[in-house]
Amino acid sequence: MRRYLLVLILSFLTIMVSAQENRQAWERYYGELSMVEDMDQESWQNVYDILSDMAAHPININAATREDLEQIPFLTEKQVEDINEYLYTNGEMKSIGELAMIPSLDYYQRKLLECIIVVGESGKTKPLNMDNIAKYGQHDITADMRIPTYTRRGDKSGYEGGRLRHTLRYDFRYGNRIRFGFVGSQDAGEPFFKDKNKLGYDHYSWYFNLNNIGRLKSLVIGQYRLSIGMGLVINTDLRYGKIASLSTMGRTSESIRPNMSRYEGSYLQGAAAKINIAKGLDVTAFASLRKMDGVRLSNDTISSVNTTGYHRTRTELERKQNTTSSLVGGNVTYVNSGFRIGLTGVYNHLSKVILPNPALKYQRYYPQGDSFWNVGIDYGYSNGWMTLRGETATGDSHALATINSLAINPGGHVEIMAIQRFYSYKYANMYANSFSDGGRTQNESGIYLGMTWKPDYNTRLSIYTDYAYFPW
């Protein structure tokens, strides 16, 4: 009996060490392509969650659709095209080593892909029925806890909860077609099973996700993250910094995906679906109803919406979920022969009126009122050596915001990218999240120029310069 117990423990430790080594591998390679300091904390956590999930559940490269490859956050549009072209021209990959045959992938991108893909047979999708779902579905339960070895000032006086930060996750998935689960998260200092958290955790996230079922490309019910166009109308998912933008050559990640993050700031709650209407024509519809933390001025007014998600002190607990946001929107996108054009519209209503403090100059043009609408058109063209993307938007403020990027691969080992943006100081949108120097999609004009030189397969030199101007 002791021998069997010892074998079980050693097997468990071997699996844990293997998983840890794989996690550390992709973290190391991704660190060579980007910098943690170049992204805000929530965006980095989202990238971490995406790559951790892909490392735990690798993509079958031979069965991957274009949409599957576009979910990989570090690939450029040209690299997605090159992978698809290689598979179309040469047939299924027989080994991961064939990635070296795709010239646009450098050493670190190839090593990263090796951590998150497998080489399997295409066209071997199992029928979608309850027997297969029960037999081949995978259950994952993850728990983590951070125990501080120091004492914070708030631990002695101010915080209403304990010193521990902990998270519990349950996730079920059947291939890449069905997924559901929940996340419970608790920050240090927040009450646990008391006060406003009588159900335990301070924050819960749940989701149900379907992918690639007939004309239905994606459906998420519950909490989700959404990115459309270049983020001027709506983006509650990733926002790349200057180094990461150069690594991806300005590609934006358009997606609907479940919210599996412990962060509470930028998710939507309700339902979102993307449907293929005809060849090249996709329609996306979404709706959200969620509680938010409003910085209270009176019973009916707030000065702003707090997105930190912290509920540690009495003041933070009093404003927890005191405001309701109701949002509806949609997008129509047509793609054909490298050309793309899309139209997006969003309407958002708050249960309380936002009244920014007029005495603070930086808040003078913050969103004001309880109802907001925004509409934008995104456009693009891509071929073997050039990718042009852009989006222009406006809203009830009648101000303009536009961003345009051009990525060029003239051949050889050089890639060049430029990003121009103009965000009027009057442009107001609570859900906009695009490339910027000041952190807001408002009150900024700028031009970004970057270049990457790859003198050989193992060497990369990146350089950029960015000029930004803030008129207000």
Side-chain angles (χ1 to χ4, degrees):
M1 183 66 181
R2 291 180 179 178
R3 183 177 64 182
Y4 290 128
L5 181 60
L6 179 61
V7 170
L8 180 62
I9 293 174
L10 290 176
S11 299
F12 176 76
L13 291 177
T14 301
I15 293 172
M16 292 296 291
V17 170
S18 176
Q20 179 71 6
E21 288 177 350
N22 191 46
R23 182 178 69 86
Q24 291 175 344
W26 75 254
E27 284 183 1
R28 182 172 69 253
Y29 295 132
Y30 186 73
E32 296 296 336
L33 291 175
S34 183
M35 292 178 62
V36 177
E37 295 83 359
D38 187 48
M39 304 174 71
D40 61 82
Q41 188 176 15
E42 186 168 357
S43 290
W44 167 248
Q45 183 64 50
N46 288 336
V47 171
Y48 183 91
D49 291 339
I50 291 171
L51 292 179
S52 293
D53 183 63
M54 289 181 173
H57 307 281
I59 299 171
N60 179 3
I61 190 67
N62 290 324
T65 65
R66 178 184 178 86
E67 285 79 11
D68 293 332
L69 295 177
E70 288 178 342
Q71 300 308 307
I72 302 176
F74 58 84
L75 291 181
T76 67
E77 288 195 30
K78 176 174 173 52
Q79 288 165 345
V80 172
E81 291 286 352
D82 288 349
I83 293 173
N84 281 327
E85 182 180 355
Y86 181 87
L87 293 170
Y88 178 79
T89 303
N90 301 284
E92 296 183 1
M93 289 187 182
K94 303 302 180 184
S95 71
I96 290 182
E98 290 188 54
L99 292 173
M101 304 298 291
I102 302 175
S104 60
L105 295 174
D106 65 24
Y107 173 80
Y108 290 107
Q109 289 167 327
R110 181 170 63 84
K111 298 301 288 185
L112 250 176
L113 280 174
E114 291 177 3
C115 297
I116 64 174
I117 70 169
V118 293
V119 174
E121 295 184 21
S122 62
K124 296 294 184 180
T125 304
K126 296 180 179 65
L128 191 62
N129 55 55
M130 293 303 299
D131 290 338
N132 283 336
I133 293 173
K135 183 177 180 181
Y136 298 106
Q138 295 178 304
H139 302 265
D140 291 332
I141 299 178
T142 307
D144 69 77
M145 178 178 292
R146 295 189 181 185
I147 304 174
T149 58
Y150 55 91
T151 300
R152 290 168 286 250
R153 181 180 300 176
D155 293 332
K156 296 180 178 179
S157 60
Y159 292 169
E160 300 290 329
R163 302 171 61 225
L164 304 181
R165 168 182 164 173
H166 46 99
T167 304
L168 176 66
R169 288 185 175 92
Y170 167 75
D171 183 63
F172 172 87
R173 63 184 296 157
Y174 175 70
N176 66 341
R177 305 179 72 186
I178 298 178
R179 187 168 199 173
F180 60 84
F182 74 90
V183 179
S185 64
Q186 191 82 10
D187 289 308
E190 295 177 337
F192 189 56
F193 278 111
K194 63 179 182 179
D195 210 310
K196 289 193 174 183
N197 299 334
K198 290 183 171 57
L199 295 179
Y201 283 101
D202 178 73
H203 172 67
Y204 285 99
S205 172
W206 63 275
Y207 52 87
F208 176 78
N209 178 213
L210 297 176
N211 293 308
N212 302 321
I213 299 178
R215 291 190 176 273
L216 179 65
K217 287 190 171 182
S218 183
L219 168 68
V220 180
I221 300 173
Q223 291 189 8
Y224 62 94
R225 292 181 178 270
L226 175 68
S227 175
I228 297 178
M230 299 190 74
L232 293 189
V233 176
I234 188 163
N235 177 17
T236 62
D237 202 359
L238 305 179
R239 180 172 69 87
Y240 293 110
K242 296 177 182 179
I243 297 175
S245 293
L246 186 56
S247 298
T248 60
M249 295 303 290
R251 184 179 75 86
T252 56
S253 179
E254 298 190 10
S255 62
I256 303 171
R257 67 181 186 88
N259 176 42
M260 297 180 291
S261 173
R262 69 184 324 277
Y263 283 90
E264 304 175 39
S266 301
Y267 66 85
L268 299 175
Q269 182 172 275
K274 184 176 183 179
I275 302 173
N276 177 248
I277 301 299
K279 183 178 180 180
L281 181 63
D282 294 334
V283 173
T284 301
F286 51 92
S288 172
L289 179 66
R290 61 161 294 193
K291 299 285 189 177
M292 308 180 79
D293 299 351
V295 181
R296 187 191 299 272
L297 293 178
S298 68
N299 289 335
D300 300 318
T301 61
I302 56 177
S303 61
S304 62
V305 175
N306 186 286
T307 60
T308 64
Y310 289 135
H311 305 114
R312 304 160 299 183
T313 65
R314 180 50 48 189
T315 300
E316 291 173 344
L317 283 166
E318 287 175 353
R319 69 184 180 213
K320 180 180 179 180
Q321 299 184 347
N322 63 2
T323 304
T324 302
S325 170
S326 306
L327 179 143
V328 293
N331 166 265
V332 179
T333 297
Y334 178 71
V335 181
N336 184 28
S337 301
F339 291 93
R340 65 172 291 127
I341 187 167
L343 178 67
T344 307
V346 170
Y347 175 78
N348 181 31
H349 177 75
L350 299 178
S351 61
K352 288 182 170 59
V353 177
I354 296 181
L355 292 177
N357 188 346
L360 301 176
K361 287 188 176 182
Y362 68 89
Q363 288 191 11
R364 184 168 299 179
Y365 293 103
Y366 275 18
Q368 182 172 341
D370 61 358
S371 297
F372 311 91
W373 63 265
N374 293 90
V375 63
I377 181 171
D378 63 278
Y379 37 84
Y381 173 72
S382 179
N383 58 26
W385 63 275
M386 179 189 73
T387 299
L388 172 68
R389 290 293 306 273
E391 185 174 15
T392 300
T394 186
D396 54 285
S397 63
H398 305 293
L400 188 70
T402 184
I403 180 170
N404 300 276
S405 70
L406 176 64
I408 300 176
N409 184 1
H413 307 284
V414 177
E415 296 174 330
I416 302 170
M417 187 184 68
I419 300 177
Q420 171 272 333
R421 72 270 192 194
F422 167 77
Y423 309 143
S424 169
Y425 62 87
K426 293 184 178 181
Y427 182 72
N429 186 340
M430 293 180 60
Y431 290 95
N433 189 12
S434 192
F435 181 92
S436 68
D437 182 74
R440 295 176 61 87
T441 312
Q442 183 183 20
N443 185 38
E444 180 172 325
S445 299
I447 183 73
Y448 170 97
L449 299 173
M451 183 185 73
T452 298
W453 177 44
K454 302 175 184 177
D456 58 56
Y457 188 70
N458 299 313
T459 307
R460 164 197 290 257
L461 174 65
S462 298
I463 184 171
Y464 74 85
T465 182
D466 184 43
Y467 172 79
Y469 170 65
F470 310 97
W472 179 255

